[in-house]
Amino acid sequence: MTELLLVGIGDLGLPYLIAAKRLQVGVRLVETAERAEPLRDLVDGVQLVPGTAEEQWADAALAAAAERAPDGVLGLGEHQVMAAALVGHYLGLPGPGLGAAVVSRNKALQRARFSSAGLPQPEFLVADSLAEAGEWAGARFPVVLKPLGGSGSSGVELVRDRAAYAEAVEHRAHDGRLLVESAARGPEYSWEGLVREGKVLLGNITAKETTGPPHFVETAHRVGGAPAHVERAGQQLGRDVVAALGLDTGIAHLEFRMTSAGPVIMEVAVRTPGDSIMDAVGLVHGLDMYEALVRLALGMPVPAVERAVPHGRSASLFPLARPGRVTAVTGLAEVREHPGVARVFVGVRPGDTVRPTTCSADRPAAVLLSADDDAQLERSIAHVRATLAIETVPEA
C-alpha cells in the first residue's frame, strides 16, 4: 500500500488523514503522545515525539523513515517543516526542498534571499540587541519588530517613535535576535500557491483584515474578488517568490502588502496556512486543498487543481471579545443556522478567560463563510458580527 508519513497533525491536520484514507493511502503519524493517542486506530503506525522542539520532530521523523521508507511526507506546521524536508531530502521524495524549508523557517534568511533576488520588501536590520539598532530604527520610524521564527503574529510589534522604541528595548530585552524593518503601508493580502516541480499549478489571492498596530492579528480573510491590479501583481509576486526560494513541490503561503509602489513581501511559509485559509480557498476553487497536497506529496496527479475555476466568495472570520472573564456566549445557534455559515467554532465558555489579542492564539472564535458574491458575503459577515457575542467582565 502507498504510505504517507504525516509529521504532526495538531489541530489542523485531520483533513489530511481523511483525504489520505479517501485515496486509500496508508498514513503513519509522527506526533506527541497526547495528540496521537485518540488517532491510533485511524493510522497505520505512530512514531512518538518526546517534546515539541524542532530538533525532536526531526529526530522522530527520520527514525520513522529509517524504520520504513514512506512514499511521501508532509509536515504540518512551522516546527514540522524542517523534519519533513529532511526526510524528503534523504529519500528523494516530493517536497519543498531543503533550501526552501531552511529559508522559510527564518525571517532574516528570507530577507537575505529576497534581497539577493531583487524582490520588493522593506528595509531591514538583523539586531542582536534592540538598543544597538536604535540609531538605524530612529531614521525609519515607524518600524516593525519581528522574531526570526514563529507564526500567527506572535511577537510582531509596530513601534512608532523613539519613546515607544525605548519601551520595546526594555520589555524585549530577553527576546534575543530580532528583525527590525521599516513599516510598509497598504492593505494586506496573502498568496496561496500549489506548486509541482517549481511550476505553480494554482495561485490564489486572499484579502486580510487585522487588528492593526501594534500586533496586526488577523481578524478576517476574504477569498475571491481581489481588485484586478492586486490579482495581477500578487500572482506575479507569488511566482517570483517560488522561483527565488527554489520551491519544488508543495504549498507556499506568501504574505504581502499592496503599497502605492506595488506589492511588498512581508514573509513566506512552505506549510499549511492556518486560520481556515485552506478551507476558504477550497470553497472558491471547488477543490479539497488537503487532498491536493497529499497527491502532490505522493507524486500523484492533481486533476481537481488542473481544472479548478474560481467561483463565488468565502471568508474565515475571527470575532473578538473584550479581555476578561467570560460570562456568556450568545447568538451561537443563530449563527450556525445562517445559510452562509459553513462552520463555527467557539473556544471559550463561561468562566474562561479572554486574553488581550496579541497573537492568533488569543482569538476566542472562528467562523467559515461561503457566498455567491461580495454583497452576499458582506451581509453574512455583518450578521455574524452583530449576532455572535462573547460577553466578559474585567477580572479582579
Side-chain angles (χ1 to χ4, degrees):
M1 174 186 282
T2 301
E3 188 172 74
L4 175 73
L5 185 65
L6 183 58
V7 186
I9 198 164
D11 297 320
L12 305 175
L14 190 59
Y16 285 120
L17 179 58
I18 294 170
K21 292 300 181 184
R22 186 166 59 243
L23 293 169
Q24 297 184 319
V25 169
V27 176
R28 275 190 298 150
L29 180 62
V30 180
E31 236 325 339
T32 61
E34 179 183 5
R35 291 192 179 276
E37 189 57 38
L39 301 172
R40 282 188 179 273
D41 293 339
L42 303 177
V43 297
D44 300 284
V46 174
Q47 180 75 39
L48 293 179
V49 185
T52 57
E54 198 164 20
E55 295 82 1
Q56 291 173 307
W57 286 103
D59 183 29
L62 289 167
E67 179 182 328
R68 186 168 72 248
D71 300 289
V73 59
L74 267 176
L76 180 70
E78 283 292 302
H79 287 88
Q80 293 88 39
V81 165
M82 285 300 301
L86 285 166
V87 171
H89 174 74
Y90 288 122
L91 297 184
L93 300 175
L98 195 53
V102 169
V103 172
S104 78
R105 287 292 295 125
N106 186 301
K107 293 180 177 65
L109 292 182
Q110 291 182 34
R111 289 287 177 249
R113 178 63 193 119
F114 297 146
S115 178
S116 69
L119 298 184
Q121 61 180 357
E123 291 184 274
F124 68 95
L125 179 71
V126 181
D128 287 321
S129 161
L130 286 183
E132 293 175 2
E135 183 177 346
W136 186 93
R140 294 165 176 83
F141 287 131
V143 296
V144 177
L145 311 181
K146 294 180 178 180
L148 302 192
S151 60
S153 300
S154 180
V156 175
E157 179 181 5
L158 179 79
V159 177
R160 295 188 180 277
D161 51 34
R162 291 188 182 278
Y165 194 86
E167 292 180 9
V169 168
E170 183 174 347
H171 76 253
R172 303 188 72 151
H174 303 293
D175 279 10
R177 187 173 294 119
L178 291 170
L179 193 63
V180 185
E181 300 181 350
S182 59
R185 294 177 174 85
E188 293 190 55
Y189 295 89
S190 64
W191 178 84
E192 292 74 42
L194 294 180
V195 184
R196 167 167 277 165
E197 295 178 352
K199 178 185 177 182
V200 175
L201 304 180
L202 179 145
N204 172 82
I205 301 293
T206 298
K208 186 182 297 192
E209 186 177 312
T210 77
T211 57
H215 301 296
F216 304 100
V217 179
E218 289 93 341
T219 55
H221 302 272
R222 291 172 173 84
V223 178
H229 72 289
V230 174
E231 184 76 28
R232 288 192 301 271
Q235 294 288 3
Q236 183 60 57
L237 184 64
R239 291 191 293 269
D240 290 343
V241 165
V242 165
L245 288 175
L247 176 62
D248 188 86
T249 297
I251 190 167
H253 175 62
L254 167 68
E255 297 180 351
F256 66 94
R257 281 186 181 269
M258 196 67 190
T259 73
S260 58
V264 172
I265 297 168
M266 296 293 99
E267 59 188 69
V268 68
V270 296
R271 44 79 181 161
T272 308
D275 285 5
S276 298
I277 289 175
M278 293 274 283
D279 306 270
V281 173
L283 285 171
V284 167
H285 290 272
L287 58 90
D288 185 324
M289 291 282 284
Y290 302 95
E291 180 178 321
L293 277 172
V294 170
R295 287 175 172 273
L296 286 171
L298 292 166
M300 298 170 65
V302 282
V305 173
E306 292 162 0
R307 62 173 179 257
V309 177
H311 62 279
R313 304 288 186 265
S314 67
S316 53
L317 182 67
F318 299 89
L320 302 180
R322 293 179 183 274
R325 180 172 54 83
V326 177
T327 57
V329 177
T330 62
L332 183 56
E334 293 92 329
V335 167
R336 282 183 174 142
E337 293 170 1
H338 186 75
V341 172
R343 187 172 69 226
V344 184
F345 170 77
V346 176
V348 294
R349 57 187 179 181
D352 289 345
T353 297
V354 173
R355 298 178 298 183
T357 307
T358 62
C359 69
S360 297
D362 297 326
R363 301 169 306 183
V367 184
L368 181 66
L369 299 158
S370 181
D372 293 329
D373 53 38
D374 290 327
Q376 188 181 76
L377 180 64
E378 294 308 316
R379 287 195 296 270
S380 292
I381 289 174
H383 173 78
V384 171
R385 286 175 168 166
T387 306
L388 181 60
I390 298 170
E391 300 173 15
T392 63
V393 294
E395 291 193 297

